[in-house]
Amino acid sequence: MNIKTLIMEEVLNQEAYSAPEIPCRIKLDANESSYDIPPSLKSRIIESIEKISLNRYPEPGSPDLRKGFAGLYGVDDDMLIVGNGSDELIQILLMAVKGQASGVMFPTPTFAMYKISAFNTGHRVIEVPLDSRFDLDVDSMLEIIADKSPELVFFSYPNNPTGNCFDADRIEAILKESSGIVVVDEAYANFSGKTFLPYLDRYENLVILKSLSKVGLAAMRIGILIGSLPLVHELNKVRLPYNLNTLSQIAARLYIDNEAEFRRQADGVAGRREELSNELKKIDGIYPYASDSNFILFGCTFDTDSIYDGLLKKGILIKKFNTPGVLENCIRVTVGTPEENEEFLGALRDILTS
Ligand SMILES: Cc1ncc(COP(=O)(O)O)c(C=O)c1O
């Protein structure tokens, strides 16, 4: 028997998503928070674990958390789904919408999971390159909407890996014209201070995604989807009943109760991002792009492989892009603690002068 004959062609044609664990001292490759959560909060998680009956399923649909997040975001709790990371919510959206001839549209470069999950759920993919300022090519996107009516459009806002927020008017132009769902993925919104939440009243086809992965809880896998009541009603039929485990539910509750503290930490990251960017600008041959996120993309006139290898020899892990196109010779670095940033900058200067 040839097992492959049973597998979807879209799956056969892909490589599995690989995120290898590369040993390092300073991890600046995955846009995580460099700080673990404060020990006082961590011990509250540990105390809560002692009270869990591990023989029981988690609370389905996380009603308590939905109320808490609804309070934070100023929306009705029935407009919300809590997911096993926003990755799961992207997949739920793709599983729920019809995937016939039209397609799923997103700009490139952007977050890889839009494409991977679209293929895995049998959708066509329509990629539209960003313009030279890493903003949306709104004319091309509007043409595609008029021509093909994509069932879903994804915008990472700010965009991973370029770091910038697209022009809000361009996104709104697409929201207005699209007959499909427009997803504004705000995984990095804690560092941009920008959100499409106020647009929810105006656009029934708008969905907003949030994530706690970039603010110190990546290990807990917590994402939030916010959309119109009729859409969320349908999406809940696709969501698995116990999608958020009890431990993650406890961590999410802790986030809700201590949101101001998490926000202060994110504000600190945004401040250090500007310092790091200014220091990078001072290095000959390094060209950082403006960022609204907790990472910075920079181009370099040097060989990125030797920068990557040199940094890794010193225990510092960053993300290199050596794919042809706009990301050629680009490196993405997560904003770390002040000490990590200092060490990264020192190591980079050393490598470039040696
Ligand atoms: C734009 C964007 N959206 C979503 C995610 C995934 O978030 P989560 O960890 O909540 O699944 C990432 C992770 O890197 C991301 O960059």
Side-chain angles (χ1 to χ4, degrees):
M1 180 184 188
N2 182 358
I3 288 291
K4 286 192 173 180
T5 59
L6 302 173
I7 307 291
M8 281 164 60
E9 201 172 316
E10 292 83 350
V11 174
L12 289 174
N13 290 338
Q14 279 183 54
E15 297 291 326
Y17 185 86
S18 106
E21 273 297 315
I22 301 172
C24 62
R25 234 171 3 95
I26 300 182
K27 189 168 176 347
L28 301 176
D29 66 322
N31 309 339
E32 300 143 319
S33 169
S34 278
Y35 293 103
D36 199 345
I37 64 169
S40 59
L41 296 188
K42 207 174 210 178
S43 46
R44 279 172 43 198
I45 296 187
I46 294 163
E47 282 161 26
S48 309
I49 294 174
E50 281 170 1
K51 293 186 198 135
I52 303 174
S53 305
L54 292 177
N55 54 325
R56 302 293 176 199
Y57 281 112
E59 191 169 27
S62 326
D64 237 37
L65 293 180
R66 284 196 289 111
K67 273 204 186 71
F69 283 121
L72 285 185
Y73 300 134
V75 297
D76 189 308
D77 48 342
D78 285 332
M79 293 171 70
L80 240 136
I81 301 180
V82 189
N84 184 18
S86 39
D87 281 347
E88 187 198 23
L89 300 166
I90 291 166
Q91 194 184 44
I92 288 177
L93 281 159
L94 286 158
M95 284 196 287
V97 299
K98 289 182 186 167
Q100 281 122 7
S102 33
V104 171
M105 178 169 77
F106 45 84
T108 56
T110 194
F111 179 47
M113 289 314 293
Y114 306 147
K115 186 173 180 173
I116 295 169
S117 289
F119 277 144
N120 288 342
T121 45
H123 291 270
R124 285 171 183 234
V125 160
I126 307 169
E127 297 176 280
V128 183
L130 291 172
D131 70 15
S132 58
R133 295 176 57 246
F134 289 152
D135 209 333
L136 299 177
D137 176 353
V138 76
D139 293 337
S140 298
M141 289 192 146
L142 289 173
E143 260 176 48
I144 291 164
I145 287 170
D147 197 30
K148 298 201 170 91
S149 304
E151 56 264 17
L152 264 171
V153 182
F154 283 102
F155 295 123
S156 167
Y157 183 81
N159 187 41
N160 176 16
T162 56
N164 57 309
C165 278
F166 304 131
D167 181 76
D169 291 341
R170 296 189 189 194
I171 295 183
E172 189 171 15
I174 285 156
L175 265 170
K176 269 190 193 138
E177 294 306 317
S178 176
S179 55
I181 295 164
V182 177
V183 182
V184 177
D185 178 348
E186 299 189 350
Y188 300 97
N190 294 63
F191 313 102
S192 71
K194 294 180 188 169
T195 176
F196 265 70
L197 283 170
Y199 293 69
L200 280 167
D201 288 343
R202 269 173 277 161
Y203 298 101
E204 208 182 14
N205 60 339
L206 170 64
V207 165
I208 293 177
L209 295 179
K210 302 273 188 187
S211 170
L212 304 192
S213 294
K214 313 301 171 184
V215 290
L217 288 168
M220 293 287 111
R221 309 298 298 125
I222 301 154
I224 304 109
L225 178 149
I226 310 155
S228 65
L229 291 172
L231 176 67
V232 168
H233 178 77
E234 299 309 321
L235 295 178
N236 263 314
K237 299 177 190 172
V238 178
R239 178 184 56 76
L240 294 174
Y242 306 111
N243 63 328
L244 202 67
N245 73 70
T246 306
L247 193 51
S248 300
Q249 292 195 11
I250 290 169
R253 182 77 247 171
L254 211 70
Y255 175 85
I256 293 164
D257 294 342
N258 296 277
E259 196 262 345
E261 196 164 336
F262 282 93
R263 193 154 16 98
R264 258 196 307 279
Q265 212 172 57
D267 290 345
V269 172
R272 289 201 297 285
R273 171 188 71 214
E274 296 315 307
E275 290 162 19
L276 180 57
S277 177
N278 288 337
E279 289 305 314
L280 283 168
K281 278 181 199 154
K282 292 181 194 161
I283 305 176
D284 278 345
I286 298 286
Y287 304 98
Y289 293 100
S291 172
D292 298 300
S293 322
N294 66 342
F295 59 86
I296 297 172
L297 181 78
F298 59 92
C300 28
T301 51
F302 307 96
D303 170 37
T304 46
D305 284 336
S306 29
I307 294 179
Y308 177 90
D309 293 343
L311 287 169
L312 196 55
K313 263 195 206 124
K314 293 172 190 275
I316 303 169
L317 184 63
I318 44 91
K319 171 92 178 161
K320 69 174 167 176
F321 298 91
N322 41 17
T323 42
V326 284
L327 293 182
E328 196 159 16
N329 289 328
C330 280
I331 283 177
R332 191 190 67 195
V333 63
T334 307
V335 178
T337 64
E339 298 75 27
E340 287 174 339
N341 294 342
E342 212 35 64
E343 209 176 314
F344 158 72
L345 284 165
L348 181 64
R349 289 188 199 106
D350 280 356
I351 292 162
L352 298 182
T353 49
S354 64

